Amino acid sequence: SLKMASDSPESLMTLCTNYCLRNLEGTLCYLLDNETLWLHPDIFLPSEICDKLVNEYVELVKTDSIFEPHESFFTLFSDPRSTRLARIHLREHIVQDQDLEAIRKQDLIELYLTNCEKLTAKSLQTLVSFSHTLISLSLFGCCNIFYEEENPGGCEDDCLVNPTRQVLVKDFTFEGFSRLRILNLGRLIEGVNVETLLRPLASLAALDLSGIQLNDVGFLTQWKDSLVSLVLYNMDLSEEHIQVIAQLRKLRHLDISRDHLSSYYKFKLTRRVLNLFVENLVNLTSLDISGHTMLENCTIPSMEEKMGQTSIEPAKSSIAPFRGLKRPLQFLGLFETSLCRLTHIPAYKVSGDKNEEQVLNAIEAYTEHRPEITSRAINLLFDIARIERCSQLLRALQLVITALKCHKDDKNIQVTGSAALFYLTNSEYRMEQSVKLRRQVIQVVLNGMESYQEVTVQRNCCLTLCNFSIPEELEFQYRRVNELLLNILNQSRQDESIQRIAVHLCNALVCQVDNDHKEAVGKMGFVMTMLKLIQKKLADKTCDQVMEFSWSALWNITDETPDNCEMFLNYSGMKLFLECLKEFPEKQELHRNMLGLLGNVAEVKELRPQLMTSQFISVFSNLLESKADGIEVSYNACGVLSHIMFDGPEAWGICEPHREEVVKRMWAAIQSWDINSRRNINYRSFEPILRLLPQGISPVSQHWATWALYNLVSVYPDKYCPLLIKEGGIPLLKDMINMASARQETKEMARKVIEHCSNFKEENMDTSR
């Protein structure tokens, strides 16, 4: 079942391969002269392992931006005495002429080269060295492999006048490839004579000539006793083509589909042609006629068509010619044809646009070689996921992930795929998804953000990330995701909606994470980026979500992280704080976030002297009376002042306001708060509060700290009683009760805190035997 397949853990083989590739130097290889990788001399690896190493390497280079390719990687497989290769799949720019050249001594059985545009005619010569063993070969999309560089003059000076030009190689054929049975020449460049090229092949079983225009395909009949699979996607057909195809009686798979958008086709598929195929190709199990316009009516009358339960029996077929089939087809491609919407289709698997099953079959069938079709199929899936409920969620997710990985540089697929992912990962599907699958989604989303600076892709990717639990689910890619978001926020021209989502994500990422994470993100320029955003908003006199989220993110990232607090001060954070207070006097949420942040700064002893100015102290003192956001603003202002008071009278280096006057205002503020206030704050540690208890220099700071603990343990006992006990708060409170300098009311409150915690402990004692 698909669910099991996609959700089972990686095999040990896959994990080991992956580890070795990421640590070649420490495992299979050593570095010579600091640049060339060499295999350890005592290693012998069979083809099962070598094939996997090469294929996985190509996959990693293609889909993992952090993975560094090695220039000498393929040379590790140059000697068949230590490494054996049999079946390898190479893609795109990753492979060059010298890479194939490096492995020319290997006895390859299967070689797939897909869209390897860097390969030239040098690689055609290398192919000859595999000719005696090769059974299966694909040169799909290798558009330069029949070109060689020719230097007409051959001398130094002449080269400048006549630069190297590309010349088509016309004399290459598959002479000597006696075992070759399966060949894909899809998207072969014009000018190569296909017939001459193929004539030496004795017994072809499968041939793919996608995207090649041939007026005469008569030569195909030389394989009428061996050819079982023929693909002529996007070939403009004629009556002559049809007559030739009808003679290939061994065919089991025939694909004459086309992209109905790509160009104007004269050929129209008729009932007669389909009848001809059904009569002559008696072994047919798979047929693809996607994209064809039916000129003649192939369907049976609609009254009859709608009758009875849906059936795949050929006798009941809604498509008349298929009533002649002996048994239902395994696969029938009807994507972007009117036939896919009929009721009775005699096939187990149909690609089309009628429903989810057909659309998923289309994505599955066309992803590898037909991105232009795949992006339209994913677009249909996007509509299904958005409007209806997906019934095959895991399969849908897997297919979209595969398409996004396979076509990292295809804008259409990146746009439609990232949009589909947003709907496929949202909360209603959450329960059905494994950790492994959700991690794969995150990887392809980040790949998309890296490859595409395009607004739609960026927005879709950011929105999709919002479907995950942050920071937990993103922690395995923590550095990378932060870098990408900061990169988006630092762009000069910005899309407002992306900015808002990116700031929201940044804020969530620095909430509830370890301090080393916060320090790392601070070093990436997080503090500076947020202050720049605030500066821009201030210049526009706008206090929106971006402004509030930016201050909130600064509050989170400075929590118990002195380096980031210092950065905030160094980048004129205090100036912005004052300007925002002045510009937006009514914005309570903003005031709370700003003061929460300043509370973090005030906890750092070395930075407190920078807060010790008449202007700042006056602002904090005035905010003690603020009723904004319940008690939050007043509470945070009092917290900042409590840490400053804790440094003692000698640190009070200003004349105005007087220290005693501020102390008086602090007492008044604390006494005005409701002890049962529900809080808009989240403490991961009480350490900064507890350090204010064992001291006699500032009784008001002691009182603020005790009030804070009393409020939190009484309103949220389940969360904060265990935290207080764990961090050793009870003995500190007991010691404080015995201090002469502590105020009576502070001692009373401390007793209540201790009582709360001991009651909580008793209630939660495990009495079960």
Side-chain angles (χ1 to χ4, degrees):
S1 93
L2 215 139
K3 184 174 170 61
M4 294 311 295
S6 66
D7 275 7
S8 52
E10 298 289 6
S11 67
L12 189 54
M13 174 76 158
T14 302
L15 292 170
C16 291
T17 308
N18 198 303
Y19 182 81
C20 288
L21 287 170
R22 289 178 189 279
N23 303 278
L24 277 171
E25 218 184 307
T27 52
L28 307 171
C29 307
Y30 63 95
L31 255 190
L32 194 68
D33 312 329
N34 264 350
E35 52 180 2
T36 316
L37 277 175
W38 286 90
L39 211 57
H40 284 297
D42 52 352
I43 280 180
F44 173 79
L45 298 172
S47 61
E48 291 81 354
I49 290 176
C50 292
D51 291 350
K52 203 156 172 57
L53 281 167
V54 169
N55 296 335
E56 195 57 34
Y57 170 82
V58 171
E59 182 72 5
L60 280 174
V61 174
K62 193 167 156 33
T63 60
D64 188 338
S65 61
I66 301 159
F67 183 78
E68 284 294 320
H70 291 276
E71 211 155 276
S72 53
F73 177 76
F74 285 90
T75 57
L76 301 177
F77 304 91
S78 57
D79 187 352
R81 287 170 304 186
S82 55
T83 52
R84 290 275 166 88
L85 288 173
R87 296 178 168 82
I88 57 172
H89 297 221
L90 309 177
R91 305 185 67 93
E92 295 168 28
H93 60 275
I94 297 161
V95 59
Q96 304 187 28
D97 290 326
Q98 62 266 29
D99 299 324
L100 272 190
E101 174 71 12
I103 58 169
R104 71 185 183 284
K105 291 182 183 164
Q106 294 286 356
D107 291 337
L108 290 184
I109 295 169
E110 188 176 289
L111 174 61
Y112 288 137
L113 301 169
T114 307
N115 296 324
C116 299
E117 295 180 359
K118 288 197 172 174
L119 296 183
T120 70
K122 286 184 188 144
S123 287
L124 281 182
Q125 294 317 308
T126 310
L127 286 183
V128 176
S129 53
F130 308 128
S131 60
H132 58 293
T133 54
L134 217 48
I135 292 173
S136 183
L137 172 67
S138 169
L139 300 177
F140 182 88
C142 298
C143 52
N144 295 311
I145 201 162
F146 279 88
Y147 278 114
E148 64 183 349
E149 292 183 350
E150 182 181 87
N151 184 348
C155 75
E156 295 290 315
D157 303 327
D158 201 24
C159 302
L160 300 173
V161 187
N162 268 321
T164 309
R165 61 195 181 102
Q166 301 287 327
V167 180
L168 194 61
V169 171
K170 294 197 171 166
D171 56 354
F172 178 84
T173 72
F174 285 110
E175 187 68 56
F177 285 73
S178 56
R179 302 183 64 186
L180 198 62
R181 297 285 178 276
I182 299 168
L183 179 61
N184 184 340
L185 294 176
R187 306 221 327 256
L188 186 71
I189 51 127
E190 273 183 49
V192 176
N193 187 324
V194 178
E195 184 178 348
T196 313
L197 186 67
L198 299 181
R199 193 177 293 122
L201 297 174
S203 44
L204 265 184
L207 180 61
D208 188 326
L209 299 173
S210 294
I212 303 171
Q213 298 311 324
L214 294 176
N215 295 329
D216 180 9
V217 289
F219 65 90
L220 293 176
T221 55
Q222 68 178 298
W223 301 294
K224 65 177 189 291
D225 296 325
S226 63
L227 207 60
V228 292
S229 169
L230 178 63
V231 178
L232 305 176
Y233 169 70
N234 267 354
M235 186 182 287
D236 198 7
L237 304 171
S238 66
E239 184 56 37
E240 287 74 31
H241 289 80
I242 300 302
Q243 292 307 324
V244 170
I245 293 168
Q247 294 175 56
L248 307 173
R249 291 172 176 265
K250 290 281 172 73
L251 277 186
R252 292 205 290 269
H253 171 63
L254 173 62
D255 182 343
I256 53 165
S257 62
R258 64 191 193 190
D259 175 359
H260 77 105
L261 297 181
S262 70
S263 62
Y264 175 71
Y265 290 98
K266 294 179 286 295
F267 179 77
K268 297 280 191 287
L269 199 54
T270 62
R271 188 170 181 155
R272 182 186 61 79
V273 172
L274 289 180
N275 275 329
L276 191 69
F277 290 163
V278 171
E279 281 164 33
N280 289 282
L281 309 177
V282 291
N283 296 314
L284 212 57
T285 60
S286 167
L287 174 66
D288 203 329
I289 53 172
S290 296
H292 277 280
T293 315
M294 306 296 164
L295 188 65
E296 217 180 277
N297 191 358
C298 291
T299 60
I300 53 146
S302 64
M303 281 297 292
E304 197 184 331
E305 203 261 318
K306 293 276 181 279
M307 278 169 56
Q309 273 188 304
T310 309
S311 167
I312 61 165
E313 283 307 306
K316 292 182 180 169
S317 172
S318 303
I319 305 164
F322 295 148
R323 289 194 162 186
L325 289 167
K326 304 280 181 292
R327 66 194 84 74
L329 294 168
Q330 294 296 323
F331 176 84
L332 178 57
L334 299 175
F335 189 70
E336 294 179 322
T337 67
S338 53
L339 300 181
C340 72
R341 296 204 175 80
L342 297 171
T343 311
H344 308 295
I345 301 176
Y348 293 102
K349 217 174 195 179
V350 178
S351 75
D353 45 37
K354 177 185 175 185
N355 54 29
E356 183 185 349
E357 171 69 18
Q358 286 189 1
V359 167
L360 292 178
N361 290 340
I363 299 172
E364 190 168 37
Y366 309 129
T367 288
E368 175 81 41
H369 292 127
R370 301 178 194 175
E372 62 283 3
I373 307 281
T374 309
S375 69
R376 302 206 289 271
I378 294 175
N379 210 21
L380 292 166
L381 176 65
F382 162 73
D383 283 335
I384 293 167
R386 187 170 56 96
I387 299 159
E388 307 163 34
R389 187 180 161 81
C390 265
S391 54
Q392 301 183 48
L393 174 75
L394 290 177
R395 184 177 172 217
L397 257 179
Q398 288 280 320
L399 288 171
V400 174
I401 289 170
T402 303
L404 284 166
K405 279 165 103 170
C406 189
H407 300 288
K408 204 169 132 191
D409 304 320
D410 185 299
K411 183 183 160 187
N412 291 336
I413 284 190
Q414 291 300 321
V415 170
T416 55
S418 57
L421 280 185
F422 170 69
Y423 285 102
L424 292 169
T425 52
N426 69 16
S427 50
E428 65 170 314
Y429 297 126
R430 183 66 184 275
M431 296 308 292
E432 300 169 50
Q433 295 165 12
S434 68
V435 172
K436 177 182 163 188
L437 197 57
R438 286 179 75 80
R439 284 192 164 190
Q440 285 179 331
V441 173
I442 291 164
Q443 296 271 29
V444 294
V445 163
L446 299 182
N447 287 343
M449 287 169 77
E450 259 155 2
S451 309
Y452 270 88
Q453 299 309 312
E454 206 273 333
V455 172
T456 322
V457 175
Q458 298 268 336
R459 188 186 299 113
N460 291 350
C461 290
C462 285
L463 282 169
T464 302
L465 290 178
C466 294
N467 286 337
F468 290 81
S469 301
I470 304 171
E472 300 79 22
E473 288 192 280
L474 296 183
E475 235 172 316
F476 80 108
Q477 293 279 293
Y478 196 75
R479 227 199 130 76
R480 187 175 170 210
V481 73
N482 274 295
E483 276 173 352
L484 283 166
L485 290 168
L486 292 179
N487 187 30
I488 288 174
L489 291 172
N490 282 320
Q491 286 161 14
S492 50
R493 285 176 52 223
Q494 260 175 14
D495 177 89
E496 190 68 34
S497 62
I498 298 183
Q499 192 184 56
R500 194 170 60 248
I501 306 159
V503 176
H504 161 71
L505 283 166
C506 279
N507 187 19
L509 277 161
V510 290
C511 189
Q512 304 292 304
V513 288
D514 296 341
N515 291 11
D516 54 349
H517 273 336
K518 290 181 186 177
E519 276 175 24
V521 177
K523 289 193 179 80
M524 282 179 209
F526 188 100
V527 177
M528 172 100 92
T529 303
M530 292 304 144
L531 288 170
K532 271 192 200 153
L533 289 174
I534 291 166
Q535 180 85 59
K536 267 188 208 157
K537 291 291 171 189
L538 198 56
D540 298 341
K541 298 192 176 338
T542 319
C543 181
D544 56 5
Q545 279 184 312
V546 171
M547 173 72 104
E548 284 178 10
F549 284 154
S550 300
W551 279 109
S552 178
L554 287 170
W555 181 6
N556 282 320
I557 201 171
T558 51
D559 175 39
E560 293 189 46
T561 316
D563 288 5
N564 292 340
C565 292
E566 188 173 5
M567 264 188 243
F568 170 79
L569 292 178
N570 290 347
Y571 298 138
S572 316
M574 289 306 287
K575 181 171 169 282
L576 283 178
F577 160 67
L578 293 174
E579 286 173 3
C580 285
L581 265 183
K582 194 170 156 210
E583 185 64 51
F584 309 111
E586 303 306 314
K587 294 287 184 182
Q588 305 194 349
E589 181 88 1
L590 183 70
H591 295 184
R592 186 195 88 205
N593 292 345
M594 293 195 303
L595 276 157
L597 154 67
L598 291 185
N600 291 338
V601 176
E603 286 169 12
V604 184
K605 186 174 173 56
E606 299 73 35
L607 301 179
R608 284 200 284 272
Q610 295 192 51
L611 303 178
M612 198 66 240
T613 70
S614 291
Q615 188 184 23
F616 293 150
I617 299 295
S618 300
V619 168
F620 298 142
S621 305
N622 293 334
L623 286 168
L624 287 169
E625 270 96 66
S626 166
K627 294 285 173 276
D629 206 7
I631 66 163
E632 297 303 328
V633 171
S634 177
Y635 170 89
N636 280 327
C638 199
V640 172
L641 290 166
S642 293
H643 289 289
I644 290 171
M645 292 295 171
F646 174 64
D647 290 336
E650 63 280 2
W652 199 267
I654 52 173
C655 306
E656 284 292 321
H658 288 303
R659 189 168 185 271
E660 288 66 39
E661 187 194 322
V662 176
V663 168
K664 212 161 39 186
R665 289 178 78 173
M666 286 167 73
W667 279 109
I670 300 170
Q671 276 150 350
S672 74
W673 302 335
D674 174 3
I675 196 65
N676 296 314
S677 301
R678 298 198 65 76
R679 302 306 304 286
N680 224 329
I681 199 160
N682 187 2
Y683 283 101
R684 288 188 308 139
S685 160
F686 280 148
E687 195 279 322
I689 293 179
L690 294 176
R691 72 173 83 136
L692 299 176
L693 293 178
Q695 50 95 14
I697 206 155
S698 171
V700 72
S701 306
Q702 212 173 32
H703 193 65
W704 174 82
T706 313
W707 189 96
L709 294 173
Y710 184 33
N711 163 256
L712 293 165
V713 298
S714 45
V715 180
Y716 307 101
D718 292 355
K719 179 170 183 183
Y720 290 120
C721 286
L723 185 63
L724 185 61
I725 294 164
K726 183 177 133 216
E727 295 199 335
I730 305 298
L732 285 172
L733 287 162
K734 284 180 175 166
D735 289 350
M736 191 258 284
I737 290 169
N738 297 324
M739 282 174 72
S741 60
R743 288 272 278 268
Q744 206 46 47
E745 54 199 294
T746 311
K747 296 180 179 185
E748 283 303 313
M749 211 172 255
R751 286 193 189 93
K752 287 180 184 162
V753 176
I754 295 167
E755 196 181 324
H756 254 290
C757 287
S758 59
N759 289 346
F760 174 82
K761 260 179 102 168
E762 279 166 28
E763 278 170 32
N764 289 275
M765 282 286 278
D766 186 4
T767 51
S768 56
R769 280 279 169 268

